[in-house]
Amino acid sequence: MRDTAVLDAPIDWAVEPGLIGYQQAVAEMESRVESIRHGCAPERVWLLEHPPLYTAGTSARAGDLIESRFPVFQSGRGGQFTYHGPGQRVAYVMLDLRRRADVRRYVEELEEWLIRALGRMGIRGERRPDRVGIWVCHGDGTEDKIAAIGVRLRNWISYHGISLNVDPELSHFGGIVPCGIRDPRYGVTSIAALGIPSSMATVDEVLKTSFEEVFGPVRAPR
């Protein structure tokens, strides 16, 4: 029986200290997804950092892996190759879309969350209809991706989520064609690279405030 108290509970907002291995994170997400599906646990947003690694989404092309500098994981999420590592805030979002939005609207809400969070830090993040993620335009025809989005559903429970470049080593993206985009006008950037110093804790607070505006109230896990 689904627990109505759990269904009506605020979303758990968990911030993980240290670095979490990718396979461990996926196993924990999948376990939580099943608990949410059966009404045994509240929805969850899980903020963490990974050690340096590459993940390949369901549309990844082998030729976009230029150099295997770090471990490569098949992720099952949408999208192509991306990099995760220290200095990048990953937020895994486990929401019950049976009682929320359809998938397209859900992705739009993830974009809106990131745009609002970046706006609070003085950064204009923008959507692009032909490119997934959030982009920063430099006014000279070049644009850089500052945040990536890749989602997966299991029985209409979302998992995977977003990654925001706070202050990662941007050269690590050089081992892949990020998100399959080869056009030299488009690259990657970070909050730090844009000249805005910010701690991960500050970014987390901004993400939390903006998330609540878009998705609703959160709480520390019990």
Side-chain angles (χ1 to χ4, degrees):
M1 179 179 295
R2 293 166 63 82
D3 188 333
T4 56
V6 168
L7 291 174
D8 294 336
I11 300 162
D12 279 356
W13 183 270
V15 180
E16 192 76 32
L19 302 180
I20 303 298
Y22 188 74
Q23 291 171 312
Q24 175 188 347
V26 171
E28 292 196 25
M29 276 194 288
E30 290 178 342
S31 176
R32 184 59 171 250
V33 163
E34 283 303 300
S35 294
I36 294 169
R37 175 191 174 194
H38 294 291
C40 301
E43 299 166 305
R44 188 185 199 205
V45 179
W46 186 24
L47 277 64
L48 53 80
E49 292 175 85
H50 286 304
L53 57 91
Y54 298 128
T55 65
T58 54
S59 302
R61 296 171 293 200
D64 288 344
L65 179 62
I66 299 169
E67 180 184 355
S68 299
R69 302 179 187 177
F70 308 112
V72 180
F73 297 94
Q74 300 296 320
S75 72
R77 58 159 172 80
Q80 302 187 43
F81 278 101
T82 195
Y83 165 77
H84 295 310
Q88 182 191 72
R89 175 52 86 206
V90 174
Y92 288 134
V93 185
M94 289 153 271
L95 299 183
D96 188 345
L97 299 192
R98 296 171 299 182
R99 48 194 295 264
R100 291 180 173 273
D102 61 36
V103 177
R104 177 174 293 184
R105 181 180 168 191
Y106 172 59
V107 173
E108 291 173 350
E109 289 174 337
L110 292 176
E111 293 171 338
E112 182 65 21
W113 170 30
L114 287 163
I115 289 168
R116 292 189 186 204
L118 289 166
R120 284 188 159 88
M121 292 180 280
I123 299 170
R124 182 181 176 86
E126 300 180 353
R127 299 176 173 90
R128 291 293 178 263
D130 57 338
R131 286 176 269 129
V132 178
I134 302 300
W135 297 79
V136 175
C137 179
H138 300 296
D140 60 356
T142 65
E143 299 181 11
D144 289 326
K145 178 181 275 192
I146 195 168
I149 298 172
V151 302
R152 186 174 183 180
L153 300 184
R154 178 171 292 179
N155 299 115
W156 291 99
I157 311 300
S158 72
Y159 61 122
H160 296 277
I162 64 100
S163 59
L164 174 61
N165 296 334
V166 180
D167 190 14
E169 178 51 68
L170 292 178
S171 67
H172 290 173
F173 284 91
I176 58 172
V177 178
C179 300
I181 298 174
R182 293 181 176 272
D183 192 318
R185 295 174 297 171
Y186 307 136
V188 292
T189 193
S190 66
I191 294 170
L194 293 174
I196 301 174
S198 186
S199 68
M200 194 67 77
T202 298
V203 170
D204 289 349
E205 282 302 312
V206 170
L207 284 170
K208 182 178 179 181
T209 299
S210 300
F211 183 91
E212 289 189 310
E213 289 179 348
V214 176
F215 290 100
V218 301
R219 68 178 184 190
R222 293 180 178 177

